[in-house]
Amino acid sequence: MAKIIVTGGCGYIGSQTIIELLKKTDFDVVSIDNGINSSENVLERIKMITGKEVKNYCVDLCDYEATQKVFKANPDTIGIIHFAALKSVGDSVNNPVLYYHNNMESLLNVVKCCQEFNVKNFIFSSSCSVYGNVQSLPVTEETALSEVVSPYAHTKLMAEQMIKFIADQYDINFILLRYFNPVGGDLSGMNGEDPVNPPSNLVPVITQTASGVREKMLVFGDDYDTRDGSCVRDYIHVIDIADAHLKGLDRLIKGTNTSSYEIYNLGTGNGVSVLEAIKAFEEETQVQLNYEIVPRRPGDVAAIYSNSEKAKKELGWIPQYNIREMMSSAWKWQLYINSKN
Ligand code: WQD
């Protein structure tokens, strides 16, 4: 049976995408993940949810020979989803060289292997952070990119620019997916965001605060030029994000893509403020959150949300989950991991 390689398959979005691949397609799936920000125990959860085993190759994608060996061992591979990257905005500011080396070297090695082993369908995990501090909202794929505000975002922007030249020369078709703010977990409650390092993203901070893992949470600024002064983001359920990857693969494998380099926004199109997200969580779970409003966090943009009409029209992708459902699935996951600790 045709196989899909998922790099970063033990990570948050990677593991959820594997779950959706195993539930909704007939592909065989293997993961390449060196565990730098994930743990292989996610594979047991994938087995519990889907009933299927997934093999993970614990390989550093910056090691070309080791990566090459994985492709050689999986000659039936017809597509790749490349999630593996360091992705903490704050950490990238403190460790720029680590981010530039890891994120670029790994991408280039994976592309080289795809060329060498004739894997023609490549889905790349990009980010709305390539837009920088945009002024015109909602953001479409044609919105002019402003200056990126972190090395992390810069690695995603450089990756997109490199892939454009590569797509012209190599016999590989690429779809780049610009995620807005992925949140939530598997509806079973048995998979979700589980980074090795303490999370800094809003929703895991909310659920850790609600469950007592954190005594309180901070709201970074309520003096922005937005509805209620707090930052606005486009939160999108991780299952919706995962489904977009399946639709992108389908488009490339069927050859209905109109170019070897296609970019799609993945967001709901609804901007939600931090305070509105907190309210949605409290209403959904009936758990009151202990939060304190403090000054702004450096690097935050006031507002960004998407126009994802292009993905709807060309991929047939329609987000299924609203902010309340995102919060309830995130809460279910937090209660699950708390019960395991
Ligand atoms: C959201 C809002 C914070 C924590 C993320 C990823 C980035 C990219 C885009 C994929 C901001 C506020 C947060 C807290 C808070 N995704 N906040 N208190 O910064 O939009 O970026 O999505 O590539 O990789 O990092 O997400 O969840 O950190 O912040 O007030 O304890 O919540 O100030 O306004 P962000 P986030």
Side-chain angles (χ1 to χ4, degrees):
M1 174 48 68
K3 184 174 285 176
I4 304 294
I5 290 179
V6 176
T7 73
C10 294
Y12 172 39
I13 305 174
S15 59
Q16 193 64 45
T17 301
I18 288 178
I19 289 167
E20 302 311 315
L21 278 168
L22 295 175
K23 284 165 76 171
K24 298 171 182 169
T25 75
D26 293 328
F27 291 125
D28 287 335
V29 179
V30 295
S31 164
I32 306 178
D33 192 313
N34 66 356
I36 195 169
N37 190 28
S38 60
S39 55
E40 285 199 343
N41 58 27
V42 67
L43 302 173
E44 293 148 35
R45 299 200 301 265
I46 290 173
K47 176 114 191 293
M48 284 194 295
I49 294 167
T50 67
K52 295 179 181 172
E53 298 267 355
V54 171
K55 179 178 177 54
N56 178 62
Y57 293 86
C58 186
V59 159
D60 180 351
L61 294 169
C62 291
D63 176 342
Y64 179 65
E65 283 68 34
T67 305
Q68 202 182 28
K69 281 196 187 114
V70 177
F71 277 77
K72 207 171 284 178
N74 294 278
D76 46 354
T77 300
I78 64 158
I80 186 157
I81 307 178
H82 181 46
F83 289 105
L86 294 173
K87 64 151 194 139
S88 163
V89 172
D91 186 36
S92 76
V93 172
N94 300 326
N95 299 287
V97 171
L98 172 66
Y99 272 68
Y100 287 127
H101 176 258
N102 181 77
N103 291 3
M104 307 330 292
E105 181 81 14
S106 52
L107 169 66
L108 291 170
N109 283 345
V110 169
V111 167
K112 276 165 63 179
C113 285
C114 285
Q115 180 68 358
E116 187 179 341
F117 293 93
N118 204 28
V119 177
K120 297 178 181 299
N121 305 297
F122 196 119
I123 308 288
F124 177 69
S125 166
S126 190
S127 163
C128 67
S129 52
V130 302
Y131 290 108
N133 259 312
V134 283
Q135 300 314 315
S136 64
L137 291 171
V139 169
T140 72
E141 291 82 356
E142 283 66 50
T143 298
L145 305 187
S146 303
E147 190 177 352
V148 286
V149 292
S150 73
Y152 160 78
H154 193 196
T155 66
K156 290 299 184 182
L157 176 62
M158 287 195 296
E160 291 196 358
Q161 293 166 337
M162 288 157 68
I163 289 171
K164 187 164 176 47
F165 283 104
I166 291 165
D168 289 342
Q169 295 304 317
Y170 281 32
D171 187 17
I172 304 172
N173 291 308
F174 293 88
I175 284 183
L176 290 70
L177 300 174
R178 289 176 178 168
Y179 312 155
F180 280 70
N181 287 54
V183 297
D186 189 75
L187 300 185
S188 66
M190 295 196 290
N191 200 52
E193 197 165 0
D194 187 24
V196 169
N197 310 308
S200 62
N201 288 137
L202 179 66
V203 172
V205 167
I206 285 177
T207 59
Q208 286 188 349
T209 306
S211 66
V213 170
R214 292 171 184 237
E215 194 264 328
K216 74 172 177 180
M217 66 172 284
L218 307 177
V219 171
F220 297 124
D222 66 346
D223 59 348
Y224 287 95
D225 182 16
T226 63
R227 285 192 290 278
D228 60 19
S230 65
C231 291
V232 172
R233 293 289 183 273
D234 186 337
Y235 297 98
I236 173 83
H237 201 291
V238 66
I239 295 176
D240 281 327
I241 292 273
D243 275 343
H245 291 71
L246 273 59
K247 292 198 181 314
L249 265 183
D250 190 52
R251 179 177 173 87
L252 293 182
I253 292 167
K254 285 183 176 158
T256 51
N257 53 307
T258 54
S259 147
S260 59
Y261 178 83
E262 296 180 315
I263 295 179
Y264 296 95
N265 282 342
L266 297 185
T268 62
N270 306 318
V272 172
S273 76
V274 175
L275 293 173
E276 288 165 349
I278 287 174
K279 187 164 183 289
F281 178 85
E282 292 179 329
E283 288 174 353
E284 182 61 27
T285 63
Q286 294 303 301
V287 176
Q288 294 310 298
L289 280 164
N290 178 17
Y291 66 88
E292 178 191 349
I293 294 177
V294 295
R296 299 179 176 190
R297 179 176 71 173
D300 274 337
V301 298
I304 183 166
Y305 52 92
S306 75
N307 171 322
S308 295
E309 287 309 309
K310 186 182 174 195
K312 290 175 189 167
K313 180 164 163 277
E314 296 184 12
L315 299 182
W317 175 77
I318 299 174
Q320 301 297 308
Y321 300 98
N322 62 36
I323 189 71
R324 297 278 293 259
E325 292 161 318
M326 292 176 215
M327 294 300 180
S328 61
S329 66
W331 183 229
K332 205 171 172 185
W333 163 241
Q334 183 68 56
L335 296 176
Y336 176 83
I337 39 179
N338 288 2
S339 72
K340 296 294 174 196
N341 293 335

